[in-house]
């Protein structure tokens, strides 16, 4: 029996981004002794990278907005594959979640009458995104972090101890969940600093680990995004859905190489920026898909009028959902009309006065100036698609965020369903808050309903410890950095923005080989803050999740949202009724079809029949 | 475009360490963090460094480059000549954990000592009304990415361990100012700035503002205005006399 530090809590939250922190706040406010376990320092999570804003139908700028309109936009954005109940809850509860942030101390940009200002974004019918310049994610994470501190101060006042009911374990990585008799019993992991192991005993675990972007070469995601929660859930016996849907954000930086993939916020387009090719043409007018023809302007004059008069003009096509814009950019570059470094031009300099650009897009101005020597008030930016977000994730109950494993919950990017096949910009931050809160509540109510707590067996601890130490046992094995680079290249080239059967087959073959080689990884040095060892452990998760993506993508023979197939370019109404569900069978990923639950009638009635005909089968409409 | 760059990187832990020499490939457009990552991938797989976003937004990769407090991800290699030796060391004010990683828990301790936002009791969520011009002052301070470079550079604590207990440091004195200037915060923060958080120890040398990667005017817009509010209350003879005559408590 290896020596491990032990802690006992009511609820464990894995991940300290927006979803994890909101879940922890809720669990603690329901009286649960709660721990947050996070890979980075507290307050550094990937949520800080979110720029544009939080979508919530508050109607502060255009009073015609309502949750029903937001629901419609979300379903359209996801091409109707969304879990409609999640989309409904999300649209209904987002405004309360944003207002609540103000009570925690958030300072959003304001309208003239002192309310929270809202900006336009792709796929949203009205100005809907609450924002702080272009650093909304930072505001969100800092606000939640400070709320947690304030709860800890309350505990200090009451118990003389800050961490009585809510404790953050930072720079701590969970390597395995412990499941005993079919329900969650705890989690096992290591301190980055010392490499020492810790066992957490807890009847409920909330996964809030974010995404999987680090399996791709060009990505806006940070090192933490290695699909940990997705893999932990699979290994614990839960199911993943929609894993074939990956969002490539249309505008990532393309130059210099070292910053390739870093995000350029959609607000640039929301605030008037346009996309041009080397022929100086606003090419997005050529890429308006049939389903959106009545909503988007087909000429520059109308598109430009929309910024000041939204009631009488259609939207500019630069504000189509992200999947459409990313594909368009990809096509322009392939056709030889790309910019010098393989992107297209995104220009706001000819559209807004310099002062206005600096005020509305300060961090973009800063980022380009410092990293690329480009002054965005005077020059266009070069941009191209970058792996940004995974729509797929743990299959959960919409109301409680519970997975199919007792005691296991998931919220935020690691959960699946809410965004269907494509997420709208701004719907991520609101998703974190709405379902973070619901997961905290769901976990608290699960724990309260237990008559006895599960216990962790010594055997489970020994097994987890052995797995985590394996990379130190082998000598002269593979270098984890080399393996990681090969994985990223394979996923980028073969399961990227445009897919075809033969390439995905090849990806699966390569993944098999990588999996084999990963058995004999070896790392140098010792356990204290050793990034080589950390990567070796993360690779196990990346390989598993990549296999889910490739297998599901191979099976879905249609194109929809974040899944585009060269060999099956059309969207199929029959496929809309099917979800692909991944589960783990030993070391093998199984993918099975599962029927979608039909959309509730009163929600269907929010759409015109003519629009529904574009997505649904005649049988569903009859 | 590529060349072999010369690096000296501090390696060691809390028991001691030394600068280690490396020669490593440098390509066009790269930043210092890229080079550190290349070292990890090719020569020193267990070289410890903290980083996250690689875009200057999370404030994780703080260190000292040729003695200057900087973010590794925002320091471009093109700012150095090709034959220059680039020395990378951990932040000096905080205890070393390993290589470039330091123990920054001091900052989390200080964050907890500042009373949180205190909203008016009678205001329901959704009823908050504030003007843009009024929120902008605190918004500037909320741009802070908590890289702690200002804390690292501040001479009050950089070589004075004994001041750490009494002094919150520029980042957290700025937090006090941010709350003091929040249009709806109801708590009084002026006395505690001086008495509990050590505002008086700051002698406005502006080093913190100079190293701030977000270019926040920490001294001019946060610390000096706070000092003025303290001075108004504490040292204004009329206020002093008023306080003597009409004790508030």
């Amino acid at each position: 029996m290896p020596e491990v530090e032990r802690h006992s809590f009511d609820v464990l939250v894995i991940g300290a981004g927006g979803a994890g922190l909101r879940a922890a706040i809720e669990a603690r406010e329901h009286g649960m002794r709660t721990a947050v376990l996070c890979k980075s320092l507290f307050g550094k999570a990937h949520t800080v990278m979110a720029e544009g804003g939080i979508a919530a139908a508050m109607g502060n700028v255009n009073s015609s907005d309502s949750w029903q309109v937001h629901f419609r936009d979300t379903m359209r954005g996801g091409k109707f594959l969304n879990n409609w109940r999640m989309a409904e809850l999300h649209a209904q509860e987002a405004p309360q979640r944003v207002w609540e942030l103000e009570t925690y101390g958030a300072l959003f940009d304001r309208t003239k009458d002192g309310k929270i200002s809202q900006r336009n974004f792709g796929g949203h019918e009205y100005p809907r995104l609450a924002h702080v310049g272009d650093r909304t994610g930072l505001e969100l994470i800092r606000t939640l972090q400070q709320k947690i501190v304030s709860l800890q101060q309350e505990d200090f006042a009451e118990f003389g101890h800050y961490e009585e009911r809510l404790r953050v374990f930072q720079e701590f990585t969970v390597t395995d969940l412990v499941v005993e008799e079919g329900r969650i019993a705890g989690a096992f992991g290591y301190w980055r600093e010392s490499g020492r192991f810790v066992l957490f005993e807890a009847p409920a675990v909330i996964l809030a680990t974010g995404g999987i972007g680090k399996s791709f070469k060009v990505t806006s995601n940070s090192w933490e995004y290695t699909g940990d929660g997705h893999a932990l859930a699979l290994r614990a016996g839960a199911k993943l859905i929609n894993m074939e849907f990956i969002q490539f954000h249309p505008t990532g930086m393309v130059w210099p190489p070292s910053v390739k993939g870093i995000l350029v916020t959609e607000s640039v387009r929301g605030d008037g920026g346009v996309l041009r090719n080397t022929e100086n043409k606003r090419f997005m007018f050529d890429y308006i898909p049939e389903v959106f023809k009545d909503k988007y302007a087909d000429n520059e004059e109308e598109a430009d009028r929309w910024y000041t008069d939204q009631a009488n003009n259609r939207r500019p096509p630069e504000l189509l959902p992200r999947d459409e814009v990313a594909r368009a950019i990809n096509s322009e570059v392939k056709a030889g009309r790309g910019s010098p470094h393989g992107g297209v031009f995104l220009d706001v300099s000819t559209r807004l006065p310099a002062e206005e650009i600096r005020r509305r897009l300060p961090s973009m101005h800063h980022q380009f100036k410092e990293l690329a020597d480009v002054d965005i008030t005077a020059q266009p930016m070069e941009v191209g698609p970058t792996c940004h977000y995974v729509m797929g994730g743990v299959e959960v109950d919409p109301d409680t965020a519970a997975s199919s494993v007792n005691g296991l919950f998931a919220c935020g990017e690691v959960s699946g369903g809410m965004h269907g096949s494509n997420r709208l910009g701004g719907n991520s931050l609101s998703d974190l808050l709405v379902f973070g809160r619901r997961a905290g509540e769901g976990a608290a109510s699960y724990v309260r309903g237990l008559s006895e707590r599960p216990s962790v067996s010594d055997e489970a601890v020994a097994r987890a410890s052995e797995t985590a130490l394996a990379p130190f046992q082998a000598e002269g094995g593979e270098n984890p950095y080399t393996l990681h680079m090969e994985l990223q290249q394979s996923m980028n080239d073969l399961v990227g923005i445009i897919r075809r059967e033969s390439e995905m087959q090849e990806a699966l073959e390569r993944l098999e080989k990588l999996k084999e080689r990963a058995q004999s990884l070896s790392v140098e040095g010792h356990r204290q803050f050793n990034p080589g060892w950390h990567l070796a452990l993360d690779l196990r998760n990346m390989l598993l999740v990549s296999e889910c993506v490739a297998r599901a993508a191979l099976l879905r023979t249609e194109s929809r949202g974040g899944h585009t197939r060269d060999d099956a370019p059309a969207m199929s109404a029959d496929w809309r009724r099917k979800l692909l569900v991944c589960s783990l069978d030993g070391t093998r990923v199984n993918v099975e079809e599962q029927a979608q639950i039909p959309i509730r009638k009163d929600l269907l009635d929010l759409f015109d029949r003519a629009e529904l005909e574009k997505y649904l089968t005649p049988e569903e409409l009859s | 475009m590529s060349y072999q760059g010369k690096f000296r990187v501090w390696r060691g832990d809390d028991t001691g360490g030394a600068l280690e020499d490396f020669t490593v490939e440098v390509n066009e457009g790269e930043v210092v963090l890229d080079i550190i990552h290349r070292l990890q991938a090719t020569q020193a797989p267990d070289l410890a460094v903290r980083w996250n976003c690689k875009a200057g937004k999370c404030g994780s990769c703080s260190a000292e480059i040729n003695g200057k407090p900087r973010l590794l991800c925002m320091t471009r290699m093109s700012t150095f000549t090709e034959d220059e030796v680039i020395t990378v060391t951990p932040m000096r004010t905080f205890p070393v954990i390993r290589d470039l990683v330091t123990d920054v828990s001091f900052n989390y301790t200080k964050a907890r000592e500042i009373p949180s936002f205190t909203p008016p009791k009678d205001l329901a969520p959704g009823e908050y009304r504030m003007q843009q011009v009024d929120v902008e002052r605190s918004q500037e301070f909320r741009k802070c990415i908590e890289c702690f470079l200002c804390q690292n550079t501040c001479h009050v604590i950089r070589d004075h361990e004994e001041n750490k207990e009494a002094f919150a440091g520029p980042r957290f004195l700025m937090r006090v100012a941010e709350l003091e200037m929040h249009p709806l915060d109801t708590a009084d923060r002026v006395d505690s700035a001086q008495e509990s958080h050590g505002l008086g120890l700051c002698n406005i040398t502006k080093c913190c503002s100079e190293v701030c990667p977000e270019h926040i005017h920490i001294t001019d817009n946060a610390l000096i205005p706070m000092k003025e509010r303290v001075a108004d209350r504490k040292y204004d003879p009329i206020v002093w006399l008023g306080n003597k005559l009409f004790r508030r408590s």
Side-chain angles (χ1 to χ4, degrees), chain B residues 112-153:
Chain B
R112 274 185 186 161
E113 290 171 1
I114 293 164
S116 296
F117 172 59
T118 315
K121 286 200 170 61
D122 55 348
L123 216 50
E127 289 177 354
Y128 285 44
R129 296 291 178 273
M130 295 176 263
Q131 289 303 310
Q132 182 61 33
V133 63
D134 295 325
V135 299
E136 261 164 18
R137 297 187 296 178
S138 295
Q139 277 184 336
E140 182 193 1
F141 310 142
R142 291 182 71 83
K143 273 163 53 185
C144 171
I145 57 173
E146 298 204 330
C147 64
F148 308 128
L149 288 174
C150 60
Q151 305 282 84
N152 173 52
T153 206

Side-chain angles (χ1 to χ4, degrees), chain A residues 44 171 223 367 370 528, chain B residues 51-52 57 76 98 146:
Chain A
K44 305 295 182 199
E171 300 201 306
W223 71 271
Q367 178 175 316
E370 305 264 333
Q528 198 193 23
Chain B
W51 70 286
N52 260 36
K57 290 194 168 66
R76 298 180 67 190
R98 182 152 178 233
E146 298 204 330

Side-chain angles (χ1 to χ4, degrees), chain A residues 167-413:
Chain A
R167 181 166 171 195
V168 180
F169 292 79
Q170 57 181 359
E171 300 201 306
F172 184 89
T173 305
V174 173
T175 56
D176 275 301
L177 298 179
V178 184
V179 181
E180 301 281 1
E181 291 164 12
R183 56 185 183 158
I184 288 291
F188 179 92
Y190 63 87
W191 289 108
R192 288 175 75 74
E193 180 178 334
S194 61
R196 285 212 295 274
F197 294 140
V198 184
L199 173 71
F200 288 91
E201 290 178 283
V205 167
I206 299 173
L207 296 172
T209 52
I212 67 164
K214 272 294 158 189
S215 298
F216 290 79
K217 189 176 170 202
V218 179
T219 175
S220 63
N221 293 175
S222 79
W223 71 271
E224 298 186 288
Y225 266 37
T226 51
D228 296 6
H230 291 80
L232 288 171
L234 273 181
R235 288 199 294 267
K239 293 179 175 126
L240 307 185
I241 54 169
N242 295 350
M243 289 306 289
E244 63 275 35
F245 298 107
I246 309 258
Q247 180 167 84
F248 290 83
H249 194 290
T251 60
M253 290 177 80
V254 296
W255 183 259
S258 81
V259 298
K260 192 162 179 167
I262 291 180
L263 194 64
V264 179
T265 176
E266 189 166 327
S267 328
V268 175
R269 284 170 284 137
D271 287 352
V274 293
L275 292 163
R276 291 203 180 94
N277 60 23
T278 40
E279 294 162 5
N280 208 28
K281 182 176 171 194
R282 267 178 83 173
F283 58 83
M284 280 310 299
F285 291 102
D286 301 340
Y287 293 93
I288 304 170
E290 202 50 48
V291 289
F292 289 125
K293 282 248 190 286
D294 52 340
K295 298 224 160 4
Y296 288 83
D298 53 14
N299 62 84
E300 292 196 26
E301 294 69 31
E302 181 180 349
D304 285 348
R305 282 197 305 269
W306 176 85
Y307 286 101
T308 47
D309 177 10
Q310 292 171 12
N312 298 306
N313 296 287
R314 291 172 297 173
R315 310 160 57 79
E318 279 87 358
L319 292 178
L320 276 160
R322 289 174 174 174
D323 53 331
E324 309 289 353
V325 184
R327 275 193 297 271
I329 293 175
N330 197 62
S331 304
E332 284 296 305
V333 175
K334 273 202 171 154
R337 295 186 292 269
S339 66
H341 300 107
V344 294
F345 295 111
L346 170 61
D347 184 27
V348 69
S349 68
T350 57
R351 311 274 300 170
L352 287 176
E355 194 42 51
E356 195 63 15
I357 295 171
R358 275 191 290 268
R359 195 181 69 77
R360 290 202 212 182
L361 302 165
S363 57
M364 283 305 105
H365 182 251
H366 185 236
Q367 178 175 316
F368 273 88
K369 193 113 191 149
E370 305 264 333
L371 293 174
D373 271 332
V374 168
D375 178 0
I376 68 165
T377 66
Q379 295 161 273
M381 299 161 244
E382 270 187 82
V383 296
T386 177
C387 178
H388 184 56
Y389 189 88
V390 59
M391 269 66 73
V394 182
E395 187 179 36
V396 290
D397 170 63
D399 290 76
T400 61
S403 76
S404 59
V405 175
N406 287 328
L408 184 64
F409 299 77
C411 54
E413 191 172 350

